Amino acid sequence: MIGMVVEEVGTVIDLLHTYLIHIFSQYPFLKPLLIGFVGACVITGILFVAGMFVVWLERKFSADMQTRFGPNRVGGRYGQLQLLADAIKLFTKEDLVPETADIWLFTGAPIIAILSALMMAAGMPFGYVEVFGKQYLMAITNMDIGVLYVEAMAAISVFGIFMAGWGSASKYAVIGAFRSIAKMIGYEVPLAITVVSAAVMVGSLNFVDIVNFQTSLSFLGLEHVPAWLLILQPLGFFVFGVSLLADMGSKPFDQPEAEEELVAGWGVDYSGMRWALIYFSEYFHLILGACLFVLLFLGGWTLPFDMPANLTLPVFFGKVLLVILAVLVVRWSLPRYRIDQVQRLGWKILLPLSLVNLAWASAIGVML
Amino acid sequence: MAEKEEKKKREKPPEGLSKEELKEWARKKAEERRKLREAKKGEEKETKEKETKKEKKVYTNPLADRLRERFKEELSDISVDDPLRVSAFVDPTKVKEVMKILKEEFGLDHLMDVSGVDALKLKGADPNTFWVVYHLTSHDNPTILTLKAVIPRDNPQIDSIIDIYWNANWYERETFEFFGIIFNGHPKLKALFLSDEDIGQWPLRKDSPAYPNPNNTQR
Amino acid sequence: MMPMDEIKDSEMIVHLGPQHPILAGPFMLDLRLEGETVKEAEFTLGYGHKGVEKILEDRMYISCIPVTDRICYLASLSNNEVFCNCIEKLLDVEVPERAQYIRVILMELSRIQSHLIGLGEFAEFIGFMSMFMFLVREREDILTLLEMITGARLTHSFVRPGGVRLDLPENFKEKALKILPDFEKRVREDQETLESDEIYIERTEGVGVVPTSLAKEVGVAGPVLRASGVNYDIRRVEPTLVYKDLDFKVITATAGDTFARAHCRFEEIYESIYIIQQCLDQIPSGEVRAKLPKTLKPEGEVYCRVEDPRGEMAFYMIADGSPKPYRVRIRGPAYATLQALPPVLEGVYVADVPAIIGSMDGCTSEVDR
């Protein structure tokens, strides 16, 4: 019975496939449009759900670290639906725009913030799915300059922050925005250099190539040892990790929104839906940053032995979850740096280290 | 209350007595009780007398002696209330000089407090005056010197000591806003706690109505 | 603060408060900033002014005690203590020794819980949220003990002229001796967690330095003064109760920065635990309250001080023989310390402002009494 149903579905999909191929052969411009549309919907949906999950995870996790309970009412004893309730509340709140705010910048900022996160997701592959013998790469696009594209899109988010800070016409927000820009300049440089050094070692800017390179050290005759860049470039791993934390605005580096000094920094005047968008975009950045980290340094969806294609997605997201948990541990167990100390760390420590790493990576890359 | 307890304690008359005998027994007992009560009262009186007779102890403090020597005109009524407390009245026109000498020569480097007292209803004080009370001490010596400057109620002005003791700032501002005492030479004599509209009510003066009801004595 | 038109284009005025996440009690701190650097700071107070001094003038002495609780809810027992101390001195009453020991225990317990809250808030102000939670968790033990004795967690109203309201509960000694060592161990753990943190050290060392001379000059109080190297503790300088029979160190540090202040508070917690343990060993049995007339009518003038968690708390009381005090002047330590904040804040980064305020452990409720 079940087999029959599967067969039926299979034939339907086959039919659809042939039909689509037919249409695309007639109207070739439709293909990227359709893939883009479907992909965008799927990715956005997944990201929102994942974002809510991560928010819930963080609340429970931090509560556990601090011997509190965390959400424990809505939707069961673990407060599973708390975030849904919060989201509904936020999305139905009154939409407030301060009188002195620059309305274009103020309303544009959340859009830019969330757009930057979604655009990041568009360039990232997440693994393979095998359906009826066909393997599909789970990515909206697989660009040859994927790494640079994702980097660039991640950096755009700072415009959203600056627009929010400047547009709110609040002093806290302006200070937060300035801090954000200063921090971004300080950390985007080592981040970019480490990404470049990863690409130099592999010899490609394509995520799939980078991931495949990390499968195992077979070129050295070690079949079952992972060739993760974590092992090949420990220095790069460190620099990238710290810079990424700073880029995500995670705890020791959350000066732009430092609650104790600037109330909520650049987001102080936002409420309701706009605030929810900004809030979610931060968590998207957390998730996608973790994805980037896994892709570049933890071998993506591969493990150092053969495995079926359908296992790639769980492996990938398992690794992402581990990275997120690591970020959460850091976030809830460290105090905050001061902005000048952050700058010092970025320019005086991370930048030289990233340059050293670049030299190391090019040397190894040439040898390989 | 005490009588009730006595009633409870009362012995029962021995059984088998006639009415007259009972009456006599009761009379005897009542007399005994009366005597007891009187004796108790007498004791209480004696103890009370003893208490009132307790003489005020006389303490000495080296600071007081030095003050008496150094300030013959500026300070008056230098008294030692406790081994560690010296109090004196200071001439309000010479507060600044006195403070300067106290800080530099006597080592009283810690101004603990500047406060005001409205003497309107205070027994034994001129009702038409305010007191400005300074508490000075030192970080090395536990003796506290209480200086009181008596200033007239209709023209409450005194020199600010902010040049000598930096931390007189808030204390003087507070005294100003609650009593209306003006500290001449204070660089920024404005309200500290109250809003600017409330200046002029001088809430801690005794003629300002207290919250909730000043006439309620049984609270 | 300068008038608005004198402020340069590169400067701006930022208001910290009256509503701000770091302020448990409301006050406003106007900061004139140039970039991230504070050029000038100025306070505006009085958002929660209670007029305690005036209220006290209109109460019978015994009904004043609950009001003194509300001066600072974290140090309510020492406020009770100093108020009752004034009355006792005026009436010349000897407090029974057992009551004195109980009062010392109460004051030290309240010092511990106040320091824990102060340290927790301080940690939170530099972004260390988890440490706040840890320290508040440890504080729960101390509150349990306080609740056992007084029946209340914050505003105790337990001290009475001539003694305390009730004797210690039966199993208090065993319970306290069981809880305290464990508590001390956990606080030491927390202290190590905090003080071994690189970021914490970087954020606190050399920040908000109050040199010894400045500390004396501006009259800061309590741990802030002692962290600047001044050995000044009312428990030692002018011991009330049975403090002269007890053995304890006065914790001092020399650096005078925020790190030293927090460190002093931690060390004082251990010292307080030691004092309580001594008290529990030495406490004699007997009465806990001296016999006093129902209506107290003291007469005279007195100035009493005790060591509050935040420094020297002093009451100046004038009594005229009526059942109500004629004038009570409250001199709080947080007031003196907070007054010294603007000169310390000049020239620091704006991110250090909460750290410095937290390390001063100002209680707005007491300032706005």
Side-chain angles (χ1 to χ4, degrees):
Chain A
M1 183 70 192
I2 293 169
M4 275 173 66
V5 171
V6 169
E7 241 169 59
E8 291 278 312
V9 173
T11 40
V12 168
I13 288 182
D14 266 356
L15 269 176
L16 210 63
H17 200 234
T18 41
Y19 179 64
L20 282 179
I21 285 172
H22 174 67
I23 288 195
F24 289 157
S25 63
Q26 281 191 332
Y27 309 102
F29 65 93
L30 271 183
K31 186 178 175 183
L33 271 185
L34 190 76
I35 290 179
F37 183 71
V38 173
C41 288
V42 170
I43 289 280
T44 313
I46 289 177
L47 266 182
F48 266 94
V49 174
M52 281 204 304
F53 170 73
V54 172
V55 174
W56 174 82
L57 185 75
E58 169 161 29
R59 287 178 68 172
K60 279 312 247 193
F61 192 76
S62 62
D64 231 35
M65 282 182 72
Q66 302 177 342
T67 59
R68 294 183 283 118
F69 287 113
N72 61 352
R73 291 290 146 84
V74 185
R77 59 178 285 225
Y78 299 106
Q80 299 95 323
L81 296 183
Q82 179 69 51
L83 267 296
L84 198 64
D86 284 356
I88 291 171
K89 185 205 84 175
L90 285 173
F91 280 85
T92 51
K93 263 175 110 169
E94 188 191 349
D95 183 26
L96 276 174
V97 179
E99 225 166 71
T100 48
D102 183 324
I103 190 141
W104 289 106
L105 293 181
F106 189 81
T107 48
I111 298 172
I112 298 255
I114 204 111
L115 215 61
S116 131
L118 294 177
M119 298 276 269
M120 245 174 110
M124 270 190 205
F126 301 110
Y128 288 98
V129 172
E130 193 179 276
V131 188
F132 301 110
K134 294 192 183 71
Q135 273 197 4
Y136 298 96
L137 182 68
M138 288 298 284
I140 295 176
T141 54
N142 181 23
M143 283 177 267
D144 282 342
I145 53 154
V147 178
L148 280 189
Y149 167 80
V150 168
E151 260 301 286
M153 287 305 134
I156 280 182
S157 73
V158 81
F159 285 109
I161 293 175
F162 188 73
M163 280 163 70
W166 190 258
S168 310
S170 156
K171 288 166 184 169
Y172 297 125
V174 168
I175 297 178
F178 285 156
R179 283 187 182 183
S180 186
I181 293 278
K183 190 171 63 122
M184 178 264 185
I185 293 171
Y187 281 81
E188 210 64 37
V189 176
L191 192 72
I193 291 176
T194 31
V195 167
V196 165
S197 46
V200 163
M201 186 176 267
V202 179
S204 166
L205 281 168
N206 189 324
F207 275 118
V208 179
D209 291 347
I210 293 177
V211 169
N212 288 337
F213 173 84
Q214 298 181 58
T215 313
S216 72
L217 284 167
S218 50
F219 46 81
L220 293 180
L222 301 164
E223 275 303 329
H224 293 296
V225 178
W228 296 354
L229 292 189
L230 158 65
I231 295 163
L232 295 177
Q233 299 184 17
L235 204 58
F237 168 80
F238 168 73
V239 174
F240 188 79
V242 176
S243 315
L244 200 65
L245 272 184
D247 222 37
M248 289 189 293
S250 185
K251 193 61 185 235
F253 305 106
D254 64 341
Q255 293 80 16
E257 53 208 274
E259 193 193 335
E260 284 75 23
E261 309 132 47
L262 303 181
V263 191
W266 51 273
V268 66
D269 273 336
Y270 282 87
S271 66
M273 194 167 141
R274 289 180 218 285
W275 185 78
L277 283 181
I278 284 181
Y279 189 66
F280 265 110
S281 79
E282 274 180 22
Y283 279 88
F284 292 171
H285 271 281
L286 170 61
I287 298 168
L288 294 170
C291 289
L292 190 62
F293 197 72
V294 170
L295 285 172
L296 288 181
F297 284 92
L298 296 180
W301 51 80
T302 61
L303 290 176
F305 37 79
D306 288 335
M307 56 178 191
N310 272 340
L311 257 183
T312 51
L313 273 181
V315 166
F316 182 75
F317 285 114
K319 286 180 182 176
V320 170
L321 192 63
L322 284 180
V323 173
I324 290 177
L325 285 177
V327 171
L328 292 186
V329 170
V330 171
R331 189 182 273 198
W332 289 97
S333 55
L334 286 180
R336 179 187 308 116
Y337 271 119
R338 214 167 51 205
I339 185 71
D340 60 316
Q341 292 164 343
V342 163
Q343 293 296 84
R344 205 168 59 223
L345 182 69
W347 289 110
K348 288 197 179 162
I349 297 173
L350 291 184
L351 184 63
L353 282 185
S354 68
L355 288 174
V356 170
N357 182 56
L358 180 61
W360 160 260
S362 358
I364 296 282
V366 168
M367 268 161 62
L368 288 177
Chain B
M1 289 298 285
E3 278 178 18
K4 271 186 188 173
E5 277 171 21
E6 271 182 20
K7 268 182 192 170
K8 276 182 197 169
K9 277 182 199 168
R10 244 174 230 183
E11 292 167 39
K12 280 184 182 172
E15 283 175 31
L17 293 178
S18 69
K19 272 190 178 176
E20 284 187 4
E21 277 173 325
L22 256 178
K23 270 184 186 173
E24 197 147 309
W25 181 86
R27 212 176 295 137
K28 264 187 190 174
K29 283 283 163 192
E31 220 159 274
E32 276 175 22
R33 280 200 297 275
R34 202 179 304 136
K35 274 179 187 169
L36 263 175
R37 233 178 282 155
E38 273 168 15
K40 256 190 192 174
K41 268 187 188 172
E43 271 176 29
E44 273 174 21
K45 262 187 188 174
E46 273 175 24
T47 50
K48 266 191 183 176
E49 275 168 16
K50 267 185 196 169
E51 272 175 17
T52 47
K53 268 181 189 171
K54 254 188 199 173
E55 277 179 24
K56 246 198 165 179
K57 291 172 198 162
V58 180
Y59 303 103
T60 53
N61 190 305
L63 180 67
D65 304 336
R66 284 178 66 197
L67 286 174
R68 277 189 198 108
E69 255 176 47
R70 181 71 179 76
F71 301 105
K72 280 175 183 145
E73 289 176 11
E74 292 91 338
L75 298 188
S76 54
D77 284 354
I78 299 174
S79 63
V80 186
D81 324 325
D82 184 294
L84 297 179
R85 300 282 184 276
V86 180
S87 68
F89 282 89
V90 63
D91 185 350
T93 52
K94 288 175 185 159
V95 164
K96 243 179 148 169
E97 295 111 76
V98 171
M99 291 290 172
K100 197 161 193 180
I101 294 167
L102 284 176
K103 187 178 184 185
E104 283 164 9
E105 288 181 21
F106 288 73
L108 296 172
D109 54 352
H110 181 31
L111 176 73
M112 279 191 74
D113 205 350
V114 179
S115 59
V117 174
D118 186 356
L120 186 64
K121 292 171 185 170
L122 190 59
K123 278 181 214 160
D126 183 358
N128 288 320
T129 54
F130 285 128
W131 295 357
V132 180
V133 186
Y134 302 91
H135 293 281
L136 297 164
T137 184
S138 129
H139 285 106
D140 316 311
N141 189 335
T143 307
I144 295 177
L145 172 63
T146 308
L147 286 182
K148 291 172 226 164
V150 181
I151 53 176
R153 204 181 162 79
D154 47 2
N155 182 25
Q157 292 201 16
I158 194 165
D159 284 336
S160 166
I161 55 163
I162 191 166
D163 304 337
I164 299 150
Y165 290 104
W166 183 90
N167 58 343
N169 184 353
W170 279 13
Y171 298 124
E172 287 183 352
R173 274 171 73 181
E174 198 186 342
T175 312
F176 160 69
E177 68 183 340
F178 287 132
F179 287 93
I181 295 169
I182 291 162
F183 289 86
N184 294 322
H186 191 291
K188 204 165 67 183
L189 197 63
K190 59 171 194 171
L192 179 67
F193 292 119
L194 302 178
S195 56
D196 290 342
E197 304 93 72
D198 290 339
I199 287 290
Q201 300 194 359
W202 319 129
L204 278 182
R205 285 188 183 184
K206 283 284 170 183
D207 51 3
S208 160
Y211 169 85
N213 181 0
N215 299 321
N216 184 354
T217 50
Q218 289 302 319
R219 193 196 304 280
Chain C
M1 192 65 61
M2 290 169 134
M4 275 310 275
D5 47 341
E6 281 179 33
I7 287 170
K8 282 186 270 174
D9 281 353
S10 58
E11 296 173 342
M12 65 171 153
I13 290 177
V14 171
H15 308 288
L16 242 78
Q19 282 86 35
H20 195 277
I22 68 160
L23 304 176
F27 62 75
M28 185 158 82
L29 188 59
D30 290 343
L31 302 172
R32 183 157 61 86
L33 300 183
E34 179 156 19
E36 290 259 343
T37 316
V38 179
K39 290 269 160 178
E40 194 183 352
E42 191 186 300
F43 270 107
T44 309
L45 292 166
Y47 293 94
H49 195 264
K50 300 182 279 292
V52 170
E53 288 176 10
K54 188 77 178 177
I55 296 173
L56 291 182
E57 284 176 16
D58 192 36
R59 305 241 157 185
M60 314 279 281
Y61 282 94
I62 199 82
S63 355
C64 288
I65 293 171
V67 181
T68 59
D69 273 347
R70 271 77 181 171
I71 295 169
C72 174
Y73 48 85
L74 284 175
S76 54
L77 280 163
S78 40
N79 298 340
N80 289 172
E81 165 65 37
V82 63
F83 184 77
C84 294
N85 214 334
C86 284
I87 301 172
E88 284 151 11
K89 262 196 188 170
L90 287 175
L91 290 173
D92 206 4
V93 183
E94 186 73 22
V95 182
E97 210 179 339
R98 185 174 175 83
Q100 294 194 22
Y101 274 103
I102 294 176
R103 282 190 186 182
V104 170
I105 292 174
L106 287 172
M107 272 176 64
E108 296 304 322
L109 283 174
S110 115
R111 187 186 322 281
I112 294 174
Q113 58 97 3
S114 170
H115 276 354
L116 284 176
I117 277 277
L119 284 165
E121 282 186 349
F122 168 57
E124 195 197 335
F125 291 171
I126 54 172
F128 206 162
M129 189 69 192
S130 300
M131 187 47 68
F132 174 73
M133 296 290 173
F134 292 154
L135 292 173
V136 168
R137 181 189 64 192
E138 319 316 2
R139 178 172 174 260
E140 209 59 21
D141 282 349
I142 300 302
L143 285 185
T144 315
L145 292 179
L146 276 173
E147 204 180 346
M148 264 180 92
I149 306 178
T150 66
R153 283 163 65 90
L154 272 185
T155 46
H156 307 279
S157 308
F158 192 72
V159 182
R160 293 284 182 277
V164 290
R165 190 155 64 89
L166 292 168
D167 203 348
L168 290 179
E170 265 176 26
N171 54 349
F172 178 77
K173 187 176 170 185
E174 293 81 54
K175 186 144 189 190
L177 288 179
K178 205 177 111 197
I179 284 181
L180 286 174
D182 188 41
F183 166 80
E184 185 179 348
K185 209 178 106 201
R186 275 184 286 135
V187 176
R188 278 189 192 276
E189 228 166 70
D190 290 339
Q191 184 192 7
E192 207 194 320
T193 315
L194 191 65
E195 290 186 350
S196 62
D197 193 302
E198 290 279 326
I199 302 180
Y200 172 77
I201 293 171
E202 215 166 307
R203 279 300 300 277
T204 54
E205 265 187 356
V207 170
V209 179
V210 185
T212 313
S213 56
L214 181 72
K216 282 185 173 176
E217 171 81 29
V218 298
V220 292
V224 184
L225 183 64
R226 292 194 283 275
S228 298
V230 184
N231 190 333
Y232 189 68
D233 188 327
I234 307 299
R235 291 177 290 176
R236 183 55 53 78
V237 169
E238 193 191 324
T240 51
L241 302 174
V242 287
Y243 275 117
K244 31 184 184 312
D245 305 341
L246 297 169
D247 168 40
F248 62 94
K249 280 193 301 237
V250 176
I251 308 289
T252 53
T254 46
D257 54 6
T258 46
F259 184 90
R261 274 170 232 148
H263 185 78
C264 275
R265 289 213 175 81
F266 269 119
E267 297 296 325
E268 275 181 23
I269 290 176
Y270 310 138
E271 222 40 49
S272 290
I273 293 172
Y274 181 48
I275 293 177
I276 294 169
Q277 282 165 340
Q278 286 177 61
C279 284
L280 288 172
D281 281 345
Q282 298 175 10
I283 188 165
S285 56
E287 285 287 306
V288 293
R289 200 168 167 185
K291 284 236 155 55
L292 283 177
K294 253 195 170 169
T295 314
L296 302 171
K297 289 180 179 171
E299 191 168 359
E301 205 185 301
V302 73
Y303 193 77
C304 281
R305 51 179 179 168
V306 297
E307 183 73 17
D308 192 72
R310 290 173 182 75
E312 50 179 342
M313 180 81 188
F315 273 42
Y316 172 54
M317 187 189 281
I318 299 179
D320 58 352
S322 69
K324 295 172 179 178
Y326 182 79
R327 164 103 171 100
V328 181
R329 162 74 187 172
I330 301 156
R331 188 266 183 204
Y335 185 89
T337 310
L338 219 57
Q339 180 173 202
L341 207 47
V344 178
L345 287 184
E346 267 164 42
V348 303
Y349 286 109
V350 69
D352 285 335
V353 173
I356 295 170
I357 292 178
S359 73
M360 296 280 191
D361 195 12
C363 175
T364 321
S365 174
E366 184 207 272
V367 177
D368 273 357
R369 71 222 172 265

